[in-house]
Amino acid sequence: MRKYETIFILSPLFDEETVKANIEKFKGVIENGGGTVDNVDFWGKRKLAYEIKKVGEGFYTLFSFTAGPELPKELDRVFRITDGVIRHIIVIEQV
């Protein structure tokens, strides 16, 4: 088991309930895949450093989680197929 961090940006067109539903969806992917979510840090709506597909802001969320080596691949796949995810990244947490 390794420690990972992921940050993702959701569309600013989403309402609060949709954002919370997506956060729970991604937490579920981690927990159902045998991992544990250590920390969820919701940053709220922030301005992007540069526009992505004519979008200038989004809802930022940071997860810290512990999982096996296969789970980040599945989480990446789910991020890619979920509508409204503007950007995401998954990294191994340095100790």
Side-chain angles (χ1 to χ4, degrees), residues 15 23 36-37 39 41 45 49 51 53 59 62 64 67 71:
D15 61 2
I23 290 171
T36 58
V37 177
N39 186 33
D41 192 7
K45 190 184 258 188
E51 284 191 1
K53 297 180 184 174
F59 291 99
L62 173 71
S64 297
L71 186 67

Side-chain angles (χ1 to χ4, degrees), residues 30-72:
I30 294 167
E31 291 167 351
N32 293 336
T36 58
V37 177
D38 303 326
N39 186 33
V40 176
D41 192 7
F42 179 67
W43 296 355
K45 190 184 258 188
R46 294 180 175 238
K47 187 174 178 175
L48 276 64
Y50 55 89
E51 284 191 1
I52 301 169
K53 297 180 184 174
K54 298 185 181 181
V55 176
E57 58 186 11
F59 291 99
Y60 284 70
T61 307
L62 173 71
F63 282 0
S64 297
F65 64 98
T66 305
E70 294 300 315
L71 186 67

Side-chain angles (χ1 to χ4, degrees), residues 18-32:
T18 308
V19 171
K20 287 182 181 181
N22 275 294
I23 290 171
E24 290 301 317
K25 173 184 174 179
F26 301 136
K27 279 176 60 176
V29 170
I30 294 167
E31 291 167 351
N32 293 336

